[in-house]
Amino acid sequence: MRVMAQMAMVMNLDKCIGCHTCSVTCKQAWTNRTGVEYVWFNNVETRPGQGYPRRYEDQDTWKGGWELNKEGRLALKAGGRFRKLIQIFSNPVLPTLDDYYEPWTYDYETLTNAPLQEHTPVARPQSLITGKDMKISWSANWDDDLGGSAATSERDVLLNQVSEKIRFEFEQTFMFYLPRICEHCLNPSCAASCPSGAIYKREEDGIVLVDQDRCRGWRMCVTGCPYKKVYFNHRTGKAEKCTFCFPRVEVGLPTVCSETCVGRLRYIGLVLYDADRVLEAASTPDEKGLYEAQREVFLDPGDPDVVRAAERAGIPRDWIEAAQRSPVHALINSYQVALPLHPEYRTLPMVWYIPPLSPVVDAVRETGRDAEDHRTLFAAVDALRIPVDYLAQLFTAGDPAPVDAVLRRLAAMRSYMRDINLGREPDAAIPEQVGMSEEQMYDMYRLLALAKYDERYVIPPAHAEQAHSLEELATECSLDREGGPGMGGSGPFGETSGGPAPVAVENFHLLRERQTSDTPAAPTGRARRVNLLNWDGKGSPPGLFPDHPADGVTSGEAEPKP
């Protein structure tokens, strides 16, 4: 047994209201730069729907993830070393810009500076890629709130895998939101696909990162990731992906998307797992057994043998205690209500989901029956095989049994807690019917409904003895440090990104001037700009204050010491 630690996340889909706050805050923090205008490390999809990029789940087309070869061994779906070698300068299996969307801005200058006239001036949409006028036809959440409609349902990969009857009834019953980030998998196919070895999994916490110095822009990782959560920066010529906000996690803070989540639906915690069993679990012959196989990889942090093995492996004691208090471990293994996203990709994803119960409850309520009665809810879960089948396509490789069990536990919790909240004697038979004790059911309710900040986010900070290696990793993975990868000069694998990261809002004309400038920073004659999100508050970086030639001190120079 080789014990390792992994940061993981669980999202409760019953709480997601589709506000996209997580997407916007992630955008501001991580992809607020030139070259990644189309990139969303976090996005919220409406289901049924096409997803982002469009139809990313169609692995017959995109060749993402792993498969078992004729010998029963794991192999990349996109092919091994030889195929990558012959395609290295022209990888044909990539989503196009149309599969994502062409990012745009508006010609605000025409709108704001137009002279007085009879007709209202218009700020035309203009492409951030070509700089020309364009017609907006798609975006990252273009099909928002259109789940099951004729406009998008025909393009939903999963919906097309079920029968016509189910598709027809499904449109009348069910819509939910699915937030997505990088899965930070235990068996990441993006890392295995990279010819340069630039994508790696951190040993101390399992976060998957891109070494910007080693990345050569081959884009094999984009093909290899079945979730299509690795993106290409067309300005730097480098790959970028969700970093699980590792600078925040290292000091015990949750990710930006979790911190700002309006519905408080995200849980972050540490899990311990046996690294020696990862390959065996990912190689499970039956796809429907992958969910249970991955659960068996996770170790019980309360087991004395596991604790001793973790200490021998060098895992700090406070990390072991954090794993014992982890809400992620509780939701996945103790209460068994969280499920992985597309386990059939065999990457062993580490962002899990609690499937939504609300559509079942709503369907019962519409019949005029008691939507909180456990007998009615259990019967509804049995009858409404339609949503269960669709959820099974998402979370259990098509096996409805685990999804049915999760929905039953959530329904039992709702019925059991209603008696308590109304002052009635709780019915011990309700948790027994789903294999739980009364204490377990109450604890699960408290975690899902009432958990405070420090219960939802159990994140042990990095240790001083890890500081040096973590500092080196942060330097390698930084996307905007001065003189960093892609931040100056040009070459066959990319071009200058334009110096320090620009501010969030810039009009089309400034963007065009900077992108067509011969200088690596701002156009000649213009002061350099500073992104205050990247300023540590120390010193006076160039562009923060206007120059004062009369004082003999320019912006960015240190003040003379007395």
Side-chain angles (χ1 to χ4, degrees):
M1 179 170 60
R2 184 159 61 98
V3 181
M4 296 188 73
Q6 167 82 40
M7 293 304 305
M9 181 183 292
V10 169
M11 302 191 207
N12 186 355
L13 298 184
D14 246 346
K15 291 185 174 183
C16 185
I17 61 174
C19 66
H20 300 275
T21 304
C22 53
S23 300
V24 173
T25 51
C26 176
K27 185 73 173 175
Q28 291 293 327
W30 288 104
T31 59
N32 184 23
R33 292 168 283 109
T34 306
V36 286
E37 296 90 348
Y38 76 100
V39 171
W40 296 86
F41 287 170
N42 183 110
N43 71 291
V44 181
E45 300 169 357
T46 296
R47 288 305 180 129
Q50 298 190 48
Y52 177 75
R54 288 192 243 193
R55 296 176 59 82
Y56 75 90
E57 293 158 308
D58 182 5
Q59 302 311 327
D60 292 337
T61 299
W62 303 123
K63 309 296 183 185
W66 303 86
E67 63 182 359
L68 295 181
N69 59 21
K70 296 179 180 178
E71 290 76 29
R73 297 181 178 179
L74 276 184
L76 289 170
K77 210 161 192 175
R81 296 180 180 179
F82 178 73
R83 181 176 296 181
K84 284 181 170 50
L85 181 62
I86 62 176
Q87 295 180 347
I88 198 165
F89 290 107
S90 178
N91 180 7
V93 189
L94 284 173
T96 65
L97 196 60
D98 289 338
D99 294 312
Y100 296 102
Y101 70 101
E102 187 170 358
W104 71 88
T105 185
Y106 295 94
D107 188 2
Y108 293 109
E109 187 169 315
T110 297
L111 182 65
T112 58
N113 296 336
L116 185 64
Q117 52 187 289
E118 181 181 351
H119 301 288
T120 303
V122 176
R124 294 182 180 276
Q126 293 176 319
S127 170
L128 286 172
I129 305 298
T130 65
K132 299 179 180 179
D133 290 350
M134 62 174 287
K135 180 181 179 181
I136 301 172
S137 59
W138 191 257
S139 182
N141 61 332
W142 195 260
D143 53 357
D144 195 25
D145 293 337
L146 295 179
S149 70
T152 59
S153 61
E154 294 179 358
R155 300 277 294 170
D156 185 309
V157 175
L158 303 184
L159 206 55
N160 288 329
Q161 295 176 2
V162 293
S163 70
E164 290 294 329
K165 177 178 180 292
I166 290 176
R167 288 169 57 189
F168 175 75
E169 295 183 7
F170 192 96
E171 294 169 5
Q172 302 174 2
T173 60
F174 195 165
M175 186 195 82
F176 67 98
Y177 300 105
L178 181 72
R180 290 203 306 121
I181 64 172
C182 167
E183 297 286 331
H184 296 277
C185 308
L186 295 182
N187 184 37
S189 54
C190 60
S193 300
C194 179
S196 305
I199 301 184
Y200 63 98
K201 188 172 182 65
R202 296 211 305 189
E203 183 177 358
E204 61 275 6
D205 55 17
I207 296 175
V208 178
L209 297 173
V210 181
D211 184 339
Q212 295 286 293
D213 281 327
R214 300 185 69 175
C215 179
R216 293 295 177 266
W218 301 121
R219 285 173 272 192
M220 297 295 178
C221 53
V222 180
T223 301
C225 175
Y227 305 96
K228 291 297 172 277
K229 279 299 178 181
V230 184
Y231 301 91
F232 181 70
N233 185 324
H234 60 86
R235 285 289 287 170
T236 65
K238 308 285 185 178
E240 298 186 17
K241 63 178 293 298
C242 162
T243 65
F244 211 82
C245 291
F246 71 89
R248 295 173 56 91
V249 169
E250 287 170 6
V251 295
L253 295 175
T255 62
V256 170
C257 59
S258 300
E259 181 85 71
T260 59
C261 176
V262 174
R264 299 182 179 181
L265 61 96
R266 301 183 187 227
Y267 299 81
I268 298 178
L270 204 67
V271 295
L272 302 180
Y273 69 97
D274 185 355
D276 290 335
R277 300 177 65 180
V278 168
L279 179 60
E280 177 187 354
S283 304
T284 301
D286 184 4
E287 288 184 344
K288 294 182 179 180
L290 285 165
Y291 158 62
E292 286 294 341
Q294 184 171 356
R295 280 190 57 245
E296 292 174 0
V297 171
F298 301 142
L299 300 172
D300 180 3
D303 187 336
D305 293 335
V306 173
V307 172
R308 285 191 291 269
E311 290 176 338
R312 287 195 300 269
I315 298 176
R317 182 67 195 183
D318 61 330
W319 279 46
I320 297 174
E321 293 173 354
Q324 293 170 347
R325 295 183 292 112
S326 170
V328 172
H329 173 77
L331 293 170
I332 292 177
N333 267 0
S334 300
Y335 308 136
Q336 298 182 22
V337 291
L339 302 170
L341 181 64
H342 289 300
E344 69 272 18
Y345 298 158
R346 300 181 182 274
T347 60
L348 305 188
M350 290 306 298
V351 177
W352 287 42
Y353 295 86
I354 299 174
L357 179 67
S358 295
V360 178
V361 176
D362 293 341
V364 173
R365 186 177 289 113
E366 289 174 1
T367 66
R369 297 183 181 181
D370 185 354
E372 302 292 343
D373 184 87
H374 70 281
R375 291 163 296 187
T376 307
L377 279 178
F378 286 173
V381 171
D382 275 338
L384 292 177
R385 303 301 297 178
I386 306 155
V388 171
D389 284 345
Y390 187 83
L391 292 171
Q393 294 291 335
L394 268 177
F395 301 124
T396 54
D399 183 7
V403 179
D404 184 81
V406 170
L407 294 178
R408 283 173 170 271
R409 290 196 168 200
L410 296 175
M413 179 191 71
R414 187 170 299 206
S415 296
Y416 178 79
M417 290 307 304
R418 186 180 69 158
D419 288 338
I420 295 178
N421 292 332
L422 294 178
R424 298 198 294 248
E425 188 69 24
D427 185 356
I430 296 177
E432 288 179 4
Q433 291 184 55
V434 293
M436 299 179 71
S437 66
E438 291 187 81
E439 182 181 3
Q440 279 183 314
M441 182 147 288
Y442 183 81
D443 289 343
M444 181 175 73
Y445 160 76
R446 192 182 186 287
L447 181 58
L448 292 179
L450 305 176
K452 304 299 184 184
Y453 187 93
D454 57 352
E455 295 173 296
R456 288 183 286 121
Y457 310 130
V458 181
I459 306 171
H463 275 241
E465 62 269 21
Q466 300 172 331
H468 182 65
S469 60
L470 290 173
E471 181 181 4
E472 289 181 348
L473 290 174
T475 302
E476 291 173 354
C477 296
S478 175
L479 302 174
D480 57 8
R481 63 186 172 88
E482 188 69 29
M487 302 310 286
S490 60
F493 305 112
E495 54 181 325
T496 177
S497 67
V503 294
V505 181
E506 65 180 348
N507 63 39
F508 165 72
H509 297 285
L510 284 177
L511 177 65
R512 182 173 58 185
E513 287 184 8
R514 183 162 57 80
Q515 287 189 327
T516 57
S517 171
D518 293 330
T519 62
T524 305
R526 292 185 181 271
R528 298 179 66 186
R529 294 165 295 174
V530 174
N531 186 349
L532 294 179
L533 292 174
N534 297 329
W535 182 41
D536 59 4
K538 300 177 181 178
S540 176
L544 182 61
F545 302 108
D547 295 337
H548 299 288
D551 299 335
V553 178
T554 60
S555 172
E557 295 180 1
E559 296 288 345
K561 295 181 179 179

